């Protein structure tokens, strides 16, 4: 029996990036349907989110992401540019968010085309590996999309002409994440139980094993 879990994931989340290779590996190795649900980051979903955080939290997160990437053998560096537009000094996040809206809509369009995991697997490193300056310029996104088995021009047209439908799906995913009992990303939800963070993937596998998770046949 094929199992399934929802994956709530954001292009602005470094932990989402760090979790992606393992999640793709799981989707390939096990008889499980990973239902990707792209969402906006907390900075966009929750008004004034960063204004209410301990100022030590961002610096700890950066340190933790660098060491986690080293442990996983992944590249890591600050995104250039940041997928969200914000004043880092004040925590002010303007309503107009061209980068993250475009990315999230493209991600949902890729999900609808049946290549969501492949798409985030190629695009997330553009943003978070520390190797690309200007991931939003030139042909970086086009080449990554091609590697994922998709055409960026087609995705862009879908995102443009179906913007209202795609936005509604994203908002439904926000509600589903909230209803699951968590708010952060990446969050995996299996049979109503949330597993938050890239360090809970093995716990998720253990739980699915209790429900008959099997490896795919060769």
């Amino acid at each position: 029996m094929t199992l399934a879990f929802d994956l709530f994931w954001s292009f602005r989340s470094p932990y989402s990036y760090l979790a992606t290779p393992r999640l793709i590996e799981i989707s390939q190795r096990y008889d499980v349907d990973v239902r990707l649900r792209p969402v906006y980051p907390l900075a966009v979903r929750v008004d004034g989110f960063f204004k209410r955080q301990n100022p030590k939290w961002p610096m700890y997160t950066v340190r933790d992401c660098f060491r986690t990437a080293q442990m996983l053998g992944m590249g890591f560096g600050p995104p250039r540019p940041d997928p969200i537009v914000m004043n880092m000094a004040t925590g002010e996040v303007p309503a107009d968010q061209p980068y993250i809206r475009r990315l999230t809509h493209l991600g949902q369009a890729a999900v609808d085309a049946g290549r969501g995991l492949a798409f985030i697997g190629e695009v997330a490193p553009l943003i978070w590996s520390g190797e690309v300056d200007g991931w939003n310029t030139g042909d970086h996104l086009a080449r990554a999309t091609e590697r994922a088995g998709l055409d960026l021009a087609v995705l862009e047209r879908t995102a443009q002409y179906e913007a209202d439908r795609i936005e509604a799906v994203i908002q439904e995913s926000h509600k589903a994440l909230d209803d699951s009992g968590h708010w952060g990303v990446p969050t995996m939800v299996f049979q109503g139980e949330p597993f938050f963070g890239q360090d809970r993937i093995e716990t998720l596998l253990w739980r699915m094993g209790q429900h008959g998770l099997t490896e795919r046949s060769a």
Side-chain angles (χ1 to χ4, degrees):
M1 179 183 70
T2 301
L3 301 181
F5 65 87
D6 288 339
L7 167 61
F8 298 94
W9 190 100
S10 169
F11 286 95
R12 210 267 178 156
S13 162
Y15 289 116
S16 289
Y17 157 66
L18 294 170
T20 298
R22 181 67 173 128
L23 291 166
I24 291 175
E25 178 189 352
I26 287 170
S27 73
Q28 295 170 343
R29 177 177 176 182
Y30 295 97
D31 186 17
V32 60
D33 179 17
V34 182
R35 299 182 298 220
L36 176 63
R37 304 187 70 166
V39 296
Y40 294 128
L42 279 168
V44 174
R45 281 187 280 132
V46 180
D47 187 40
F49 174 77
F50 275 100
K51 293 180 179 180
R52 298 194 292 271
Q53 304 308 309
N54 189 309
K56 296 178 181 179
W57 173 63
M59 290 308 300
Y60 173 83
T61 299
V62 170
R63 172 181 288 182
D64 188 51
C65 286
F66 268 108
R67 69 185 175 201
T68 301
Q70 290 176 334
M71 180 183 71
L72 296 173
M74 299 172 63
F76 184 78
R80 305 187 300 271
D82 192 323
I84 67 167
V85 179
M86 69 175 291
N87 185 319
M88 299 302 293
T90 66
E92 205 64 49
V93 178
D96 185 25
Q97 292 291 331
Y99 298 144
I100 196 61
R101 178 181 170 86
R102 179 191 182 198
L103 285 169
T104 309
H105 277 228
L106 289 175
Q108 185 59 53
V111 171
D112 295 342
R115 302 291 296 171
L117 279 180
F119 183 75
I120 66 171
E122 296 293 343
V123 173
L126 294 182
I127 302 169
W128 289 106
S129 70
E131 298 174 358
V132 179
D133 189 3
W135 56 263
N136 61 318
T137 62
D139 63 352
H140 294 307
L141 275 174
R143 291 170 61 188
T145 304
E146 184 178 3
R147 291 193 296 270
L150 295 166
D151 186 310
L152 180 61
V154 174
L155 287 187
E156 294 275 24
R157 284 197 296 271
T158 300
Q160 177 183 355
Y161 293 114
E162 300 184 32
D164 290 344
R165 178 191 66 81
I166 289 175
E167 182 66 20
V169 172
I170 293 168
Q171 295 303 323
E172 288 174 6
S173 292
H174 291 171
K175 184 178 185 306
L177 173 57
D178 187 61
D179 290 346
S180 77
H182 213 281
W183 54 92
V185 289
T187 289
M188 295 72 67
V189 179
F190 173 66
Q191 296 191 357
E193 184 177 9
F195 299 80
F196 166 64
Q198 58 86 25
D199 55 346
R200 288 295 177 267
I201 293 176
E202 303 310 315
T203 310
L204 167 67
L205 272 178
W206 166 77
R207 177 66 85 205
M208 291 193 297
Q210 294 179 320
H211 291 263
L213 179 68
T214 59
E215 293 193 9
R216 296 187 187 277
S217 58

